Amino acid sequence: PAVALSLPKERQLILFRMVQEAFQNSMKHGAATHIHIKAEQQEAKLLVTIEDNGKGFDVNNTSKHGFGMLNLKHRVSLIGGLARWKSDNTGTKVTIEIPHQHEH
């Protein structure tokens, strides 16, 4: 069953754009044939993973990080989150963590 995200609309849009960017990177650069997207609300954060079966890349080689990856890093920083990549020749996994902001 679908559950509403506990994020304000503006942050939901930024998250949507980040998932869209990771999805496009998987298809365009990774040549992935399967992409799995998972969103999980935890007590203090929203955790989103985008996992593919593409060709992967060297996450430590910053000269190979393209505009899409830099754009994703910028967007996640706008909402106080964190993005991590794990990649090898069996695919890439992008993990996005967004802390819940409590209204005062």
Side-chain angles (χ1 to χ4, degrees), residues 3-23:
V3 176
L5 292 176
S6 62
L7 288 175
K9 293 287 185 206
E10 318 79 56
R11 290 165 55 99
Q12 286 184 34
L13 180 60
I14 292 171
L15 174 61
F16 173 79
R17 296 286 185 226
M18 287 187 291
V19 171
Q20 185 178 41
E21 188 74 56
F23 187 87

Side-chain angles (χ1 to χ4, degrees), residues 1-2 10 35 39 46 51 60 89 95 99 104:
E10 318 79 56
I35 301 169
L46 176 65
E51 208 165 352
N60 297 313
N89 64 354
T95 303
H104 295 287

Side-chain angles (χ1 to χ4, degrees), residues 39-103:
E40 178 182 0
Q41 291 201 102
Q42 297 180 348
E43 190 173 311
K45 65 187 170 193
L46 176 65
L47 186 64
V48 179
T49 56
I50 304 98
E51 208 165 352
D52 70 41
N53 68 340
K55 61 185 178 181
F57 67 101
D58 181 358
V59 295
N60 297 313
N61 186 350
T62 56
S63 68
K64 295 288 185 183
H65 295 181
F67 179 72
M69 195 171 177
L70 294 174
N71 197 10
L72 202 148
K73 285 180 180 180
H74 173 71
R75 283 186 169 139
V76 77
S77 71
L78 286 175
I79 56 176
L82 176 67
R84 291 187 312 273
W85 284 259
K86 185 176 178 184
S87 188
D88 59 26
N89 64 354
T90 63
T92 299
K93 179 178 182 178
V94 181
T95 303
I96 300 168
E97 292 182 30
I98 302 169
H100 290 300
Q101 288 186 331
H102 299 287
E103 306 280 330

